[in-house]
Amino acid sequence: MIGLRLRTGALALAVLAVAFAWHIAVGAKVIPLATVAEAFWGYDETVFDHVVIRDLRLPRALMAVAVGAGLAVAGALMQGVTRNPLADPGLLGLLAGASFAVVLGTFTGLTSPAVIPVLAAIGALAAASIVWGVASAVPGGASPMTLVLAGAAVTAFLAALTAIMLLIDETSFEALRVWLTGTLAGRPGTAGLWAAGWLVLGLVVALGAARQVTAMAMGDEAATGLGVDVRKLRLAILVSVVALTAAAVALAGPMGFVGLVVPHMVRLVVGHDYRVIVPASAVVGATYLLLADIAARMLLAPVEISTGLITALLGAPVFVWLVRARL
Amino acid sequence: MSEVIWQKLDGRVTFALPLRAVLVFVVLLFVVFAITLIALMSGSFPMSATDALRSLAGNPPPDMATTVVWEFRLPRALAAAMAGALLAGSGAVLQTVTRNALADPSLVGVSQGAGLAVVTVLVIFPETPIGLRPVLAFAGALAVATLIQAIAMRRTGGATMRFILTGIGVAAFLGAVTQAMLTYGDLNRAMAALGWLAGSVHAAGWGDVQVLCISLALLIPAMIWAARPLAALRMGPEIATGLGSAVTRDRAALITLSVALAACAVAMVGPLAFVGLIAPHLARRLARSGPGLHLALSLAIGAALVAGADLIGRIAFAPVQIPAGLVTAVIGAPVFGWLLLQHAKS
């Protein structure tokens, strides 16, 4: 069993590495993989390709890894703790909340790199509370359906407010417009480092709590019986999900459906132990977003589509299928 | 509830008219008229009510007033009101047929289907005449409605919540395709399509009004026909069958009608969100009535809603114009949340 796990894990990491290298190689100019390798091991700043790789493509690939891993882990945790196959930071309104808060911050002049992830976290937390509040106020509790419907309402509301802000101040928002569809084309700079801090926080909490999430996925009573402090665990998961969402939004804007699709793919292979699901989701999520970003850049080349559109195109059918199969 | 009951031939022909509903309808018509009048008066060239009315009557005070009223403000106000009426009718029919209080053409992807069809045409064949747009929108919307029905209809004949959730997924997918289309297309055309997608009537001219008028003229008789099957279906498929209605056929016809209503509105002013959701509920709260009168009330409320939303969007942050669709979304989303709570209670 352990041996099998190790082998699967090694295979997943190998696939991730290949996707990473491929992601760096493709683009406006296709760079041979040998040159990609050279740029790391024999960096020469007079070679143009090396500079392109180091300054443009490597940051973008790293962003894809960070955002993909963060969103996938957030989705896995949400699905486990709420026992809801349709849980996803996007569907439950967290992405909309975070991006609304960031736009509001830009609107009021709060744009320093350290503040952006904080704003995103506050927005995600507020949206999550509202969605959870509405859904659990419904008699019968927060079912997958009411959660998704409440998430859709919150998303529609915040999206309209965001669009109004963009209209009022058109000039300063040109960059945000693309960012709002979920893109890896931006260059986060120092904000990226701050976001990375949030990401690490979220991942550490997630890995620490993974063991108890497995118990929680069997039901609150079963978890309590197994010695899990359900309230404390919920709080920890909330912190982790909000931190991961905030990091992802600060880096790349709202990237829908990643947190929905990846954990379901992972569960098909590794089963229901969250000690495995959480790290596996991180690796597969990173690979998934790298591939989605490759598609975004190649599909209509030389035009680049927003990566968020690709993840929506891939994820929405999965969502429809889940509704049909699970509800 | 007071009703006027009208009997002929010893009660074999009986006609009950709920007074309150009729009264509400008349009041609503006045509201629509008032909003239109305010819309004519306000803007960067303000004028008094008498001036606006006089220019309408063809007896304008200064020269500018005629142009402002007839070329800009009147077609815009009319287009808003008519599109709102169409969307409200669509929502009312859809909610009754699917027996789902949360059904709304923009929520279940019908509007997005129409939107995708129109954007495709705007971007790829910009020379298409404006009159063809409703047809294309109808084709797109109908395809989506059929798809959602086919997916959602499984065990229990289209369980209501699954219908909505499937629609949300399909809407997300179509939205992404539409966005990708915009990235790919020529920038100027894409910008035109973008304004339209936000659900805006600010560019509405007499061409749009004409198309909307024709749509309404064609679809109102269909709605009058729809009152009967709706009355049966609203009690559930079993009872409707017992009452002698061909449930499958009626349901298909009514969904097609609902799709057509939404498609005509979306083709001209873009996918305005939540109008089809709010108007029928408001109509039900204002007055209890049969499905026919309920439809009429919904139409009037929809007209008032969108005309009002456009007016707010126009003057709230002037000179920036907020598309009516954003205003209806800001109003409609909380209403949706509230309905969600009510819906689960019943």
Side-chain angles (χ1 to χ4, degrees):
Chain A
M1 189 60 197
I2 302 281
L4 183 70
R5 258 188 205 168
L6 277 180
R7 250 178 289 154
T8 323
L11 184 69
L13 283 174
V15 174
L16 173 62
V18 171
F20 193 82
W22 186 26
H23 183 274
I24 290 179
V26 298
K29 173 170 185 259
V30 178
I31 300 174
L33 282 175
T35 320
V36 174
E38 241 175 62
F40 291 110
W41 285 288
Y43 183 61
D44 178 355
E45 59 181 65
T46 56
V47 180
F48 181 64
D49 281 353
H50 287 192
V51 178
V52 167
I53 288 172
R54 280 271 180 123
D55 288 357
L56 295 174
R57 298 207 180 160
L58 182 63
R60 182 167 182 156
L62 288 175
M63 261 166 73
V65 168
V67 173
L71 287 175
V73 170
L77 293 178
M78 290 167 83
Q79 288 165 18
V81 171
T82 62
R83 289 185 290 281
N84 174 358
L86 299 179
D88 164 73
L91 284 167
L92 299 197
L94 275 76
L95 292 181
S99 39
F100 170 75
V102 171
V103 174
L104 190 66
T106 316
F107 198 67
T108 48
L110 288 169
T111 48
S112 83
V115 170
I116 288 177
V118 178
L119 287 174
I122 294 171
L125 185 61
S129 320
I130 294 171
V131 170
W132 185 259
V134 170
S136 45
V138 172
S143 73
M145 288 183 189
T146 49
L147 275 170
V148 173
L149 289 173
V154 168
T155 303
F157 182 71
L158 294 177
L161 285 185
T162 309
I164 290 175
M165 283 195 284
L166 293 184
L167 278 173
I168 291 174
D169 190 356
E170 268 185 273
T171 43
S172 57
F173 284 111
E174 230 15 75
L176 280 181
R177 204 178 293 278
V178 184
W179 176 83
L180 276 172
T181 56
T183 176
L184 294 166
R187 304 252 241 110
T190 17
L193 294 179
W194 284 100
W198 284 79
L199 184 81
V200 170
L201 165 74
L203 285 177
V204 167
V205 176
L207 286 170
R211 195 184 148 85
Q212 296 181 316
V213 175
T214 313
M216 189 81 170
M218 293 187 266
D220 287 2
E221 289 82 7
T224 313
L226 289 169
V228 175
D229 185 342
V230 172
R231 294 182 56 139
K232 222 160 130 192
L233 178 65
R234 279 227 178 92
L235 195 67
I237 296 302
L238 184 66
V239 168
S240 169
V241 166
V242 165
L244 291 169
T245 310
V249 169
L251 284 171
M255 195 83 75
F257 292 106
V258 177
L260 180 78
V261 174
V262 173
H264 281 287
M265 289 198 307
V266 167
R267 243 178 250 121
L268 282 179
V269 179
V270 306
H272 294 274
D273 185 351
Y274 276 83
R275 279 175 304 172
V276 187
I277 291 177
V278 168
S281 290
V283 174
V284 176
T287 315
Y288 179 76
L289 204 58
L290 281 169
L291 295 177
D293 194 39
I294 292 172
R297 289 190 292 161
M298 300 218 324
L299 221 53
L300 296 178
V303 190
E304 184 181 314
I305 315 173
S306 284
T307 317
L309 297 183
I310 300 288
T311 60
L313 288 175
L314 294 170
V318 174
F319 172 73
V320 171
W321 174 78
L322 282 170
V323 168
R324 196 177 146 85
R326 297 288 183 83
L327 294 180
Chain B
M1 186 172 58
S2 56
E3 286 181 335
V4 175
I5 295 179
W6 220 46
Q7 286 189 331
K8 287 276 164 180
L9 304 169
D10 300 328
R12 264 174 285 176
V13 175
T14 309
F15 194 65
L17 208 56
L19 268 185
R20 185 185 154 88
V22 176
L23 197 71
V24 170
F25 184 66
V26 174
V27 171
L28 283 171
L29 287 186
F30 271 109
V31 170
V32 175
F33 179 75
I35 292 175
T36 314
L37 189 62
I38 297 172
L40 291 182
M41 287 154 52
S42 45
S44 53
F45 181 82
M47 58 177 84
S48 69
T50 36
D51 283 357
L53 285 174
R54 274 173 64 193
S55 20
L56 268 188
N59 177 20
D63 285 345
M64 273 280 279
T66 319
T67 326
V68 170
V69 168
W70 279 98
E71 293 307 311
F72 298 114
R73 290 183 188 167
L74 185 60
R76 178 173 178 164
L78 287 178
M82 286 194 285
L86 285 166
L87 285 171
S90 173
V93 174
L94 198 64
Q95 284 176 13
T96 314
V97 177
T98 59
R99 302 187 72 212
N100 187 332
L102 301 174
D104 169 72
S106 71
L107 207 61
V108 301
V110 167
S111 293
Q112 282 79 358
L116 178 58
V118 173
V119 166
T120 311
V121 172
L122 278 182
V123 169
I124 300 176
F125 309 107
E127 290 85 21
T128 319
I130 192 170
L132 267 181
R133 269 204 226 163
V135 182
L136 293 163
F138 177 63
L142 193 61
V144 171
T146 317
L147 180 73
I148 298 171
Q149 277 283 316
I151 297 174
M153 208 76 87
R154 201 172 48 115
R155 287 180 294 236
T156 46
T160 52
M161 283 297 217
R162 206 181 316 131
F163 179 76
I164 302 275
L165 287 177
T166 309
I168 290 178
V170 172
F173 183 79
L174 293 174
V177 175
T178 313
Q179 289 282 339
M181 194 82 92
L182 291 179
T183 353
Y184 184 59
D186 173 68
L187 190 66
N188 286 329
R189 295 182 200 169
M191 285 314 284
L194 204 61
W196 173 86
L197 267 182
S200 136
V201 290
H202 79 264
W206 285 109
D208 302 68
V209 174
Q210 211 177 358
V211 175
L212 286 168
C213 265
I214 297 170
S215 317
L216 268 176
L218 289 174
L219 291 171
I220 282 179
M223 280 193 267
I224 294 172
W225 164 82
R228 256 177 175 301
L230 278 180
L233 276 177
R234 130 163 129 162
M235 295 180 226
E238 292 83 9
I239 295 179
T241 313
L243 288 171
S245 102
V247 171
T248 320
R249 195 200 63 197
D250 283 356
R251 195 187 262 156
L254 288 169
I255 287 184
T256 313
L257 171 66
S258 161
V259 166
L261 285 164
C264 292
V266 171
M268 301 332 288
V269 302
L272 285 167
F274 292 111
V275 178
L277 179 80
I278 305 173
H281 281 283
L282 215 52
R284 220 164 286 138
R285 299 209 146 238
L286 286 177
R288 295 170 67 85
S289 65
L293 208 49
H294 174 248
L295 264 180
L297 285 173
S298 303
L299 292 193
I301 292 173
L305 263 179
V306 177
D310 184 43
L311 185 63
I312 293 173
R314 195 150 64 97
I315 55 183
F317 296 99
V320 178
Q321 307 226 341
I322 308 295
L326 297 181
V327 179
T328 58
V330 170
I331 301 169
V335 176
F336 178 76
W338 178 78
L339 284 173
L340 189 62
L341 295 177
Q342 302 292 311
H343 181 65
K345 265 181 209 154
S346 58

